[in-house]
């Protein structure tokens, strides 16, 4: 399953939702390693192609056209230096013009901002004055007879015209003040920029770039630290698994296992059905019937779900149940209680674990000839029982410290795994 994800560089969102944070980090680290490997291959291929093109170009150049430099009256190669030819501006003049233009633009921008503020103040000032005057007139003339209201209206219009005239004069006066301030500010900015150019070697953009570079380095160091932790955990778990002799080597380890006589008779009888003559596993499970057939065709011969060296179903083994059903079974159990259920997302299983503050779910990949946690524990185990027994003594993740202490058995009759063995 992991090889398929790395090959496609894609993981199904539903499958991703089944992983916890540490599983996601390890999986993304492995995908990043695969990206780097592919990038290096492309870079090497491009380098080789470029070398071939250069060799071909040199060969063609030696046999074909070539470049001839233009020469001056003195017979030497003609060279033009900007600023030294007739009509070219000297560098100092160009620099002065650029500084002056920057100062003018900055001053213009500040002047526009000042004018907006000034205009808002003027508008508010006269709008308030007009409203107050209108309120005063209305209060004074309200009790006057109807024939006198026309005079009040004319007086109001006269006052409004006078206020508008005063507002326009105030605007013109404000514009003149802003223009003068703009000229003065342009000169100040010009001197300031000139002085900054002479005494400073780094601009604000350089400081911002250095801050971004510092943050990028800190993020790279953090990712490297996480990668080193993942590699150290991988080595520790691998050495521990090798010492216990529980790492799967080749698929022929499973060929020596066999079922009891009753189960062999059931499988032989079922093999007579035309639906089971040919079994080709789909890319992913899409129905319960397909999952049941996969279990019968591939997992029963590998004794998945059985106790070691017996024909009894393990107490921790469950059938095709959902995450919610598993959490209901573990709800009132103590920390360290666990069960293994057949997954509906991948060709494999899901280990549901009761922790102190909730539940955890780990996917177990069984698509190959071994069993391993997807994205957490890189060890490969020959049987599902080997994986469970191994983590009764060794933690699953270093951050969570999960140990399989107590199996969670069945609460239904018939048990939820009965369709798998019918």
């Amino acid at each position: 399953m992991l090889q398929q994800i790395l090959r496609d560089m894609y993981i199904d969102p539903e499958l991703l939702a089944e992983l916890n944070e540490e599983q996601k980090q390890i999986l993304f680290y492995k995908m990043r390693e695969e990206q780097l490997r592919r990038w290096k291959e492309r870079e090497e291929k491009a380098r080789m192609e470029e070398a071939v093109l250069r060799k071909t170009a040199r060969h063609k150049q030696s046999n074909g056209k070539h470049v001839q430099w233009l020469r001056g009256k003195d017979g030497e190669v003609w060279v033009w230096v900007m600023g030294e030819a007739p009509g070219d501006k000297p560098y100092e003049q160009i620099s002065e013009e650029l500084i002056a233009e920057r100062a003018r633009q900055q001053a213009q921008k500040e002047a526009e901002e000042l004018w907006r503020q000034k205009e808002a103040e003027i508008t508010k000032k006269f709008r308030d004055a007009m409203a107050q005057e209108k309120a005063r007139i209305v209060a004074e003339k309200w009790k006057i007879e109807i024939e006198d209201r026309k005079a009040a209206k004319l007086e109001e219009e006269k006052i409004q015209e006078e206020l508008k005239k005063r507002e326009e004069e105030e605007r013109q006066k404000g514009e003149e003040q802003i223009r003068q301030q703009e000229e003065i500010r342009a000169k100040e900015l010009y001197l300031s920029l000139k002085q900054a150019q002479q005494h400073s070697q780094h601009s604000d953009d350089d400081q911002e770039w250095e801050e971004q570079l510092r943050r990028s380095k800190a993020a790279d160091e953090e990712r490297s630290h996480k990668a080193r932790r993942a590699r150290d955990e991988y080595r520790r778990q691998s050495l521990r698994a090798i010492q216990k002799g529980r790492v799967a080597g080749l698929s022929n380890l499973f060929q020596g296992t066999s079922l009891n006589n009753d189960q062999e008779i059931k499988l032989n009888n079922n093999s007579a059905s035309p639906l089971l003559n040919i079994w080709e596993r789909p890319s992913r499970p899409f129905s319960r019937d397909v999952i049941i057939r996969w279990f019968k065709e591939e997992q029963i011969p590998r004794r998945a779900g059985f106790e070691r060296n017996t024909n009894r179903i393990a107490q921790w083994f469950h059938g095709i149940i959902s995450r919610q059903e598993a959490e209901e079974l573990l709800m009132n159990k103590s920390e360290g209680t666990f069960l293994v259920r057949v997954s509906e997302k991948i060709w494999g299983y899901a280990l549901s674990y009761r922790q102190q503050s909730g539940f955890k779910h780990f996917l177990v990949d069984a698509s190959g000839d071994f069993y391993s946690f997807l994205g957490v524990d890189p060890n490969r185990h020959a049987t599902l029982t080997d994986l469970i027994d191994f983590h009764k003594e060794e933690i699953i993740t270093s951050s969570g410290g999960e140990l399989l202490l107590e199996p969670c058995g069945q609460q239904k009759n018939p048990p939820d795994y009965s369709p798998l063995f019918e």
Side-chain angles (χ1 to χ4, degrees):
M1 190 68 185
L2 181 60
Q3 287 78 6
Q4 181 180 354
I5 293 173
L6 296 178
R7 183 176 63 254
D8 301 337
M9 296 303 289
Y10 172 80
I11 180 171
D12 189 272
E14 295 181 358
L15 178 58
L16 183 63
E18 295 285 337
L19 304 177
N20 59 30
E21 289 302 321
E22 187 168 354
Q23 289 175 309
K24 291 177 183 178
Q25 288 182 5
I26 294 176
L27 180 59
F28 291 157
Y29 168 73
K30 291 183 178 294
M31 294 176 72
R32 180 59 177 165
E33 280 188 336
E34 179 64 16
Q35 287 178 337
L36 289 175
R37 186 189 66 78
R38 295 183 183 181
W39 177 79
K40 289 180 180 178
E41 287 183 355
R42 288 196 298 269
E43 288 293 315
E44 181 65 19
K45 183 178 179 181
R47 187 186 64 78
M48 295 179 66
E49 291 177 354
E50 185 178 358
V52 172
L53 289 175
R54 287 181 179 176
K55 184 177 181 181
T56 305
R58 286 197 300 269
H59 179 71
K60 289 182 178 180
Q61 186 176 4
S62 61
N63 298 330
K65 297 180 181 180
H66 61 280
V67 177
Q68 185 175 1
W69 297 100
L70 179 64
R71 299 184 180 275
K73 294 181 180 180
D74 55 357
E76 298 295 330
V77 175
W78 184 80
V79 179
W80 172 72
V81 180
M82 183 180 70
E84 296 183 0
D88 288 351
K89 295 181 180 180
Y91 173 79
E92 292 77 9
Q93 183 179 354
I94 296 174
S95 178
E96 292 285 339
E97 291 177 356
L98 289 175
I99 293 175
E101 179 63 19
R102 287 179 59 187
R104 187 190 65 79
Q105 292 178 356
Q106 180 66 22
Q108 183 179 3
K109 184 177 179 181
E110 294 181 1
E112 291 175 354
E113 181 64 26
L114 288 174
W115 170 241
R116 282 195 294 270
Q117 298 176 1
K118 187 70 174 179
E119 186 178 22
E121 293 176 0
I122 294 172
T123 302
K124 183 178 183 300
K125 176 181 177 181
F126 285 94
R127 184 173 63 245
D128 294 344
M130 188 178 297
Q132 291 175 1
E133 187 64 24
K134 184 176 180 180
R136 184 186 64 81
I137 293 173
V138 171
E140 291 178 356
K141 303 297 182 179
W142 182 255
K143 296 182 180 180
I144 301 177
E145 299 292 336
I146 297 175
E147 59 272 13
D148 294 335
R149 291 184 180 177
K150 292 182 179 179
K153 182 67 174 177
L154 292 174
E155 185 179 356
E156 178 185 347
E157 291 177 353
K158 182 179 179 181
I159 292 175
Q160 288 180 354
E161 290 178 358
E162 184 179 353
L163 289 174
K164 287 182 179 178
K165 184 178 179 180
R166 289 173 58 189
E167 179 182 357
E168 184 64 26
E169 292 176 355
E170 190 76 16
R171 285 177 181 271
Q172 292 177 359
K173 183 179 178 181
E175 289 178 355
E176 181 63 23
Q177 292 177 353
I178 294 299
R179 187 184 63 78
Q180 294 176 0
Q181 291 180 6
E182 179 182 352
E183 294 177 356
I184 297 173
R185 184 58 178 166
K187 294 179 181 179
E188 292 176 353
L189 288 172
Y190 173 78
L191 296 175
S192 176
L193 291 172
K194 186 68 176 177
Q195 184 178 5
Q197 184 187 38
Q198 295 174 353
H199 296 88
S200 175
Q201 298 296 329
H202 299 285
S203 65
D204 293 340
D205 294 337
D206 294 334
Q207 294 177 359
E208 182 178 356
W209 179 82
E210 291 176 356
E211 177 65 18
Q212 292 177 354
L213 181 62
R214 185 187 65 78
R215 294 177 181 176
S216 177
K217 289 182 177 180
D220 290 340
E221 291 177 358
E222 178 66 18
R223 286 193 292 268
S224 300
H225 179 65
K226 291 182 179 179
R228 285 195 297 271
R229 281 175 47 193
R231 286 195 296 268
D232 293 341
E233 180 67 14
Y234 174 85
R235 295 191 188 99
R236 189 186 70 80
Q237 294 279 15
S238 298
L239 291 174
R240 183 65 176 171
I242 292 172
Q243 291 173 0
K244 288 179 173 291
R246 294 174 179 171
V247 179
L250 302 172
S251 60
N252 58 14
L253 292 173
F254 304 108
Q255 296 175 358
T257 60
S258 61
L259 304 176
N260 58 20
N261 294 332
D262 295 337
Q263 290 167 335
E264 289 177 353
I265 293 172
K266 287 183 179 180
L267 289 176
N268 292 332
N269 292 336
N270 291 335
S271 64
S273 174
L275 295 176
L276 299 178
N277 288 338
I278 300 176
W279 164 246
E280 294 183 2
R281 185 174 66 195
S283 60
R284 59 173 297 173
F286 56 84
S287 68
R288 293 178 66 90
D289 293 339
V290 172
I291 296 173
I292 291 173
R293 184 175 179 186
W294 164 78
F295 185 84
K296 291 180 178 180
E297 293 284 347
E298 298 188 18
Q299 296 301 296
I300 289 181
R302 297 167 64 176
R303 295 183 57 78
F306 288 94
E307 293 182 353
R308 187 183 304 279
N309 301 326
T310 69
N311 291 323
R312 293 192 303 271
I313 305 298
Q315 187 178 358
W316 42 260
F317 185 76
H318 289 256
I320 309 173
I321 61 175
S322 65
R323 174 194 287 236
Q324 183 178 357
E325 291 174 320
E327 292 179 356
E328 290 176 356
L329 290 172
L330 295 170
M331 180 64 69
N332 298 322
K333 303 296 182 180
S334 60
E335 183 178 8
T337 306
F338 69 97
L339 61 85
V340 177
R341 53 191 171 90
V342 180
S343 174
E344 296 180 278
K345 305 295 184 182
I346 64 171
W347 296 116
Y349 305 88
L351 188 148
S352 299
Y353 179 84
R354 182 68 164 100
Q355 58 181 4
Q356 186 176 4
S357 58
F359 309 93
K360 280 189 177 181
H361 303 273
F362 302 94
L363 291 176
V364 179
D365 184 12
S367 59
D369 56 356
F370 55 85
Y371 298 84
S372 66
F373 282 116
L374 184 61
V376 177
D377 180 11
N379 294 320
R380 298 180 175 185
H381 302 270
T383 66
L384 185 59
T385 305
D386 285 344
L387 183 145
I388 298 301
D389 290 346
F390 178 76
H391 287 290
K392 288 180 179 178
E393 301 177 7
E394 294 294 329
I395 59 175
I396 299 176
T397 64
S398 58
S399 60
E402 303 89 354
L403 274 179
L404 306 182
L405 302 178
E406 185 69 26
C408 179
Q410 297 286 330
Q411 295 183 2
K412 296 181 180 180
N413 190 18
D416 53 29
Y417 56 70
S418 58
L420 301 174
F421 297 98
E422 291 178 350

